Amino acid sequence: MKNFILVTLSGFMLLSVSCNQSKINYPETAKEDVTDNYFGVQVSDPYRWLEDDKSERVAEWVKNQNEVTFGYLNGIPFREGIKNRLTQLFNYSSVSAPFVEGGKIFSFRREGMQDQWVLYVQNSTEDEPKVLIDPNKFSEDGTVALNNVGVSRNGKYIAYAVADGGSDWNRIKVRLIDNAQDLDDEIKWVKFSSIQWFKDGFFYSCYDAPKEGTELSTKNEYHKVFYHKVGTSQNDDKLVFQNQEEPLRNFTAQVTSDEKFLIISETESTHGNSLYIRNLNTDHDFIKLTTSFDYNYQVLDHIDNNLYVLTNYRSPKYKLIKINVNTLDIGNWRDVIPEKKDVLESCVLAGGKIIASYIEDVKSKVEVYNLAGEKLHQVELPTLGTVGGVSSNLNDTKAFYSFTSFTFPSVIYSFNTDTYESEVYFKPEIDFDSEAYETKQVFYKSNDGTDIPMFIVYKKGIELNGSNPTLLYGYGGFNATIKPSFSVSRIVWLENGGIFALANIRGGGEYGENWYRSGTKLNKQNVFDDFIAGAEYLIDKGYTSNKKLAIQGASNGGLLIGAVVNQRPDLFKAAIPQVGVMDMLRFHKFTIGWAWVNDYGSSEDSIQFLNLYNYSPIHNVKTGVKYPAILVTTADHDDRVVPAHSFKYIATIQDKQARGSNPKLIRIQTRAGHGAGMPISLTVEEAADIYSFLFYNLNENVEY
């Protein structure tokens, strides 16, 4: 792998920079007299008008904010050098872990600077892959993405979901695999859906068409499951499952590989689900398999009258069970792989065996079991890191998986379930010297004495003199485990002497259900305390100082950044809250926000309201405080966390900041959403802006 020599791409070295650009003239944001009464507490909401994402007034505000922001970013002298370096780095070939369906092998590939991943098909690993679906041809600007696919069991059809401009809304099309030609089938208003084939059609989930003009903001209600037969109109699709008494429920279909059973997973939040089962070979109705939303259930498949199910039922760190379809009563459930010390993250059936992936102190561990639950083998992994994309079928002796870490670009392996041997299937070539960096994991104490794990990545030989630019990242929510992974854009940070730290704070799934619950609802302050303690650890141990420390988080992580900036503005020099949930009193009123009440609580409950009000980023900005330099990022098509959160937050902090403060800017991407499907061209632009902003406001030299 070629070493990169730190010289400027324009032919000269940038010696020093100053973050003191001329005074920023922020656009004036009008205030309106809007007040809500929450259990006797009067809460002002002067920027409520920014929630109307379709109004000309908001469009003009967005235009004015972007003019200021991009004017600032384009004035950073080394921004173009960073963008050029990022373009070099992203210009490589990459491949996903293949999956096998209908007797064919499918894989996603991206060559060089292609905006979107392309789906390829081949009959065997010896055949040359052929293009099946190229999303780069969907639109001229690369903002229409391939979101999901489902292959018919006979290998004749592929149904694929298309997302436009980053929205969660999808359209499903059907294509013949042999000649890559589309049929006339088109299904609209699909969201949060699987594509599950049965005979000559498939099951999918959708909503009723929203009122025109409200597509990206209106509350998503009355999810339904339909069956579509190939060659027919959506109007003729058969309604399979709905619950008219519960508008705030979502339903996802699954068909067992033998096509004997249809499984419906019902959710009312992002955590916990209920299962319904229906025999597809009879006229019987659905049978409710579980009775509440207290636990998670994931059905692997049906084997010899048993459903194999991964669950945390009475097992906070998860286990694998089997449920006999002839005796569904809970008393007849049987453990296959019982709960252990480490979190059982996933199970895949392959070659008549079970490939089980565990989380051991936020690192992957992979073991192989027989169907009776007896351990047969532990897979040797290259280093501490993350296994993902494991794919196979019950009767296939070959499985595929990916492995990655902070300085280990994602490599695809094939795994033989008979010999237990792994072979490299694809290894990317990236202009990055991984041997020049090291990763270590530390544990530090949070405010209440809890041990919190954190990864720290840096150049070998670094001096712990408190002067290193450091970027601390966190998430802390929704049972999501943020594990070691490789980021192409992060290379720019590391090459220029930056330290990257990942704090695995509570609210995630790193140590199972109890770890997750200790960072939700009335326990949410634990998440912020954990992150703040991580920042203090980095300073106390000499990695950095409060003048060189930046923080970043996205979505729930954006909320994290907004909250800790308010609580400890003295601790950080720069902050990047991305697509964050910033209005904790109104989040449940937009699109899918109602599903987050399980994590956050609701302002409609008096006790939960006070808790939310005490940390809500928008409601805790104080007048006259010198906050860090802040670059908020959001997108106009984000219908997961609607951009109004970020709009209202930046308007508030621009209005209340102290005179002579660090910049408070918002970057609003057009034709993009919550992050999924963003084209490489926009990814490069956004990353260039973020890292330029960080280096500039940490007063660092950038040697491009």
Side-chain angles (χ1 to χ4, degrees):
M1 191 173 293
K2 185 174 68 175
N3 292 326
F4 180 72
I5 301 173
L6 292 178
V7 296
T8 61
L9 301 181
S10 56
F12 59 92
M13 187 74 71
L14 292 170
L15 298 178
S16 64
V17 298
S18 169
C19 61
N20 296 320
Q21 284 191 352
S22 58
K23 183 178 181 296
I24 300 173
N25 292 315
Y26 298 106
E28 184 175 346
T29 306
K31 295 182 182 180
E32 295 183 349
D33 186 14
V34 178
T35 302
D36 295 312
N37 185 321
Y38 293 91
F39 309 100
V41 179
Q42 300 297 315
V43 179
S44 176
D45 192 4
Y47 304 117
R48 178 79 56 87
W49 63 273
L50 287 171
E51 293 177 357
D52 185 1
D53 62 312
K54 290 297 183 181
S55 75
E56 293 184 8
R57 188 182 180 195
V58 172
E60 182 67 17
W61 181 89
V62 168
K63 174 177 172 291
N64 293 336
Q65 289 284 350
N66 269 344
E67 284 181 356
V68 171
T69 298
F70 288 113
Y72 178 94
L73 295 171
N74 291 333
I76 297 175
F78 46 76
R79 186 214 177 261
E80 195 64 21
I82 288 179
K83 178 186 172 182
N84 291 340
R85 176 60 178 143
L86 285 167
T87 302
Q88 287 180 343
L89 290 167
F90 274 98
N91 192 15
Y92 71 99
S93 299
S94 52
V95 175
S96 71
F99 64 95
V100 179
E101 194 64 69
K104 296 178 172 61
I105 301 172
F106 300 85
S107 61
F108 289 93
R109 299 167 182 255
R110 186 176 61 80
E111 299 295 335
M113 292 299 293
Q114 282 184 312
D115 275 324
Q116 300 289 345
W117 290 73
V118 178
L119 181 61
Y120 286 77
V121 63
Q122 55 197 122
N123 291 320
S124 72
T125 54
E126 287 73 36
D127 291 345
E128 187 71 20
K130 297 188 301 183
V131 174
L132 179 58
I133 302 175
D134 183 359
N136 296 289
K137 297 180 179 179
F138 289 169
S139 64
E140 292 185 3
D141 62 1
T143 60
V144 180
L146 181 61
N147 188 57
N148 188 19
V149 299
V151 178
S152 64
R153 301 184 195 281
N154 60 9
K156 183 176 181 180
Y157 304 107
I158 183 168
Y160 63 97
V162 176
D164 191 347
S167 169
D168 281 336
W169 288 115
N170 287 182
R171 290 179 296 112
I172 296 179
K173 302 279 290 179
V174 179
R175 179 167 292 193
L176 291 168
I177 293 176
D178 285 346
N179 61 12
Q181 295 298 307
D182 280 343
L183 303 180
D184 292 334
D185 303 60
E186 183 175 59
I187 300 168
K188 299 179 180 179
W189 305 116
V190 176
K191 189 182 269 197
F192 313 127
S193 176
S194 61
I195 299 174
Q196 292 285 302
W197 283 86
F198 174 66
K199 295 185 177 179
D200 54 355
F202 54 87
F203 298 97
Y204 68 92
S205 309
C206 71
Y207 292 101
D208 293 335
K211 182 180 178 181
E212 187 175 355
T214 68
E215 297 89 346
L216 300 179
S217 59
T218 192
K219 183 183 287 189
N220 299 143
E221 297 180 311
Y222 297 106
H223 212 216
K224 302 177 181 68
V225 176
F226 286 87
Y227 177 76
H228 175 78
K229 184 177 180 180
V230 172
T232 64
S233 166
Q234 182 176 3
N235 294 331
D236 298 324
D237 289 354
K238 181 181 178 182
L239 177 63
V240 175
F241 198 94
Q242 66 174 338
N243 189 338
Q244 288 294 94
E245 296 180 358
E246 297 288 350
L248 304 183
R249 298 268 175 93
N250 280 358
F251 308 100
T252 307
Q254 178 183 355
V255 177
T256 57
S257 61
D258 55 14
E259 294 199 337
K260 287 186 178 180
F261 293 97
L262 171 63
I263 312 293
I264 298 293
S265 174
E266 178 185 26
T267 60
E268 63 175 7
S269 71
T270 58
H271 191 71
N273 66 316
S274 195
L275 294 179
Y276 296 80
I277 182 172
R278 178 181 175 183
N279 190 323
L280 289 168
N281 297 321
T282 70
D283 294 328
H284 295 159
D285 292 333
F286 283 98
I287 298 173
K288 191 167 187 179
L289 186 57
T290 60
T291 57
S292 72
F293 298 102
D294 295 333
Y295 304 102
N296 287 318
Y297 302 93
Q298 179 191 345
V299 178
L300 273 61
D301 208 345
H302 171 248
I303 307 171
D304 297 332
N305 290 325
N306 288 297
L307 295 176
Y308 280 71
V309 182
L310 180 66
T311 181
N312 63 344
Y313 173 71
R314 295 182 179 175
S315 301
K317 294 189 176 181
Y318 290 81
K319 62 183 177 181
L320 184 67
I321 65 173
K322 62 181 180 182
I323 302 173
N324 191 289
V325 295
N326 298 316
T327 55
L328 295 173
D329 185 81
I330 195 169
N332 295 313
W333 295 5
R334 295 291 180 262
D335 287 357
V336 178
I337 303 178
E339 182 184 27
K340 298 184 179 181
K341 173 179 70 70
D342 300 316
V343 178
L344 180 57
E345 183 179 32
S346 67
C347 290
V348 171
L349 300 173
K353 298 170 183 173
I354 303 163
I355 300 176
S357 296
Y358 284 90
I359 304 172
E360 181 183 34
D361 280 333
V362 208
K363 303 177 289 290
S364 286
K365 181 176 71 175
V366 179
E367 297 175 342
V368 181
Y369 294 80
N370 62 23
L371 293 179
E374 299 169 330
K375 182 179 175 181
L376 304 174
H377 179 75
Q378 181 163 326
V379 179
E380 185 176 349
L381 302 176
T383 183
L384 69 84
T386 302
V387 168
V390 181
S391 66
S392 188
N393 292 308
L394 176 62
N395 298 317
D396 290 344
T397 58
K398 180 177 285 188
F400 296 95
Y401 67 90
S402 65
F403 181 84
T404 183
S405 192
F406 295 107
T407 58
F408 194 98
S410 185
V411 174
I412 308 301
Y413 293 89
S414 63
F415 178 74
N416 188 303
T417 59
D418 289 336
T419 65
Y420 306 127
E421 293 180 351
S422 292
E423 294 183 355
V424 174
Y425 178 80
F426 179 84
K427 183 177 182 179
E429 295 184 5
I430 301 176
D431 184 13
F432 172 67
D433 181 12
S434 61
E435 296 300 317
Y437 304 88
E438 62 180 293
T439 300
K440 74 175 180 178
Q441 187 182 37
V442 301
F443 291 81
Y444 62 88
K445 297 289 185 184
S446 187
N447 190 47
D448 60 359
T450 301
D451 286 324
I452 309 297
M454 179 164 61
F455 292 101
I456 308 175
V457 189
Y458 48 85
K459 274 186 180 180
K460 292 177 179 177
I462 196 168
E463 291 186 40
L464 300 183
N465 56 11
S467 64
N468 302 297
T470 300
L471 179 59
L472 175 60
Y473 189 91
Y475 186 78
F478 295 95
N479 201 38
T481 302
I482 311 300
K483 294 171 290 186
S485 64
F486 186 78
S487 165
V488 176
S489 61
R490 195 186 299 139
I491 294 173
V492 164
W493 183 257
L494 296 174
E495 282 182 338
N496 284 278
I499 294 174
F500 176 78
L502 170 63
N504 294 108
I505 53 186
R506 281 173 283 186
E510 286 83 351
Y511 293 100
E513 186 76 8
N514 296 335
W515 187 262
Y516 160 62
R517 292 294 180 189
S518 64
T520 63
K521 291 185 176 176
L522 300 183
N523 296 321
K524 191 66 176 178
Q525 185 59 41
N526 286 336
V527 178
F528 312 137
D529 289 343
D530 292 354
F531 193 76
I532 289 169
E536 291 174 333
Y537 175 93
L538 292 168
I539 293 171
D540 291 344
K541 297 300 181 182
Y543 287 98
T544 191
S545 71
N546 64 344
K547 301 297 184 185
K548 296 291 183 180
L549 179 58
I551 54 176
Q552 182 182 20
S555 195
N556 175 75
L559 157 64
L560 166 70
I561 302 306
V564 299
V565 160
N566 285 341
Q567 293 181 15
R568 287 296 305 276
D570 60 303
L571 197 55
F572 318 109
K573 186 63 171 68
I576 311 290
Q578 299 179 265
V579 293
V581 187
M582 300 304 205
D583 187 342
M584 300 310 297
L585 303 186
R586 289 177 58 78
F587 70 85
H588 59 293
K589 296 181 179 293
F590 305 101
T591 61
I592 198 63
W594 52 263
W596 312 335
V597 170
N598 183 69
D599 256 62
Y600 297 143
S602 170
S603 60
E604 296 177 13
D605 176 280
S606 60
I607 296 175
Q608 293 174 357
F609 156 70
L610 287 174
N611 183 59
L612 292 166
Y613 191 42
N614 283 335
Y615 73 77
S616 178
I618 285 175
H619 300 98
N620 287 277
V621 177
K622 295 180 174 61
T623 301
V625 172
K626 190 172 183 180
Y627 290 101
I630 296 175
L631 176 63
V632 178
T633 70
T634 188
D636 65 349
H637 276 58
D638 189 347
D639 50 354
R640 186 85 54 84
V641 179
V642 294
H645 283 280
S646 295
F647 293 175
K648 293 165 70 173
Y649 171 71
I650 200 65
T652 302
I653 204 162
Q654 284 178 354
D655 177 60
K656 293 187 176 183
Q657 67 175 336
R659 294 187 62 183
S661 281
N662 299 305
K664 308 295 186 296
L665 302 170
I666 183 168
R667 185 189 190 279
I668 306 160
Q669 183 65 58
T670 58
R671 295 286 298 155
H674 201 59
M678 182 181 286
I680 290 297
S681 54
L682 295 186
T683 299
V684 167
E685 291 284 347
E686 182 179 70
D689 288 338
I690 288 172
Y691 287 113
S692 297
F693 182 87
L694 290 177
F695 280 125
Y696 195 57
N697 283 280
L698 297 181
N699 200 19
E700 287 297 311
N701 297 336
V702 175
E703 299 175 334
Y704 296 142

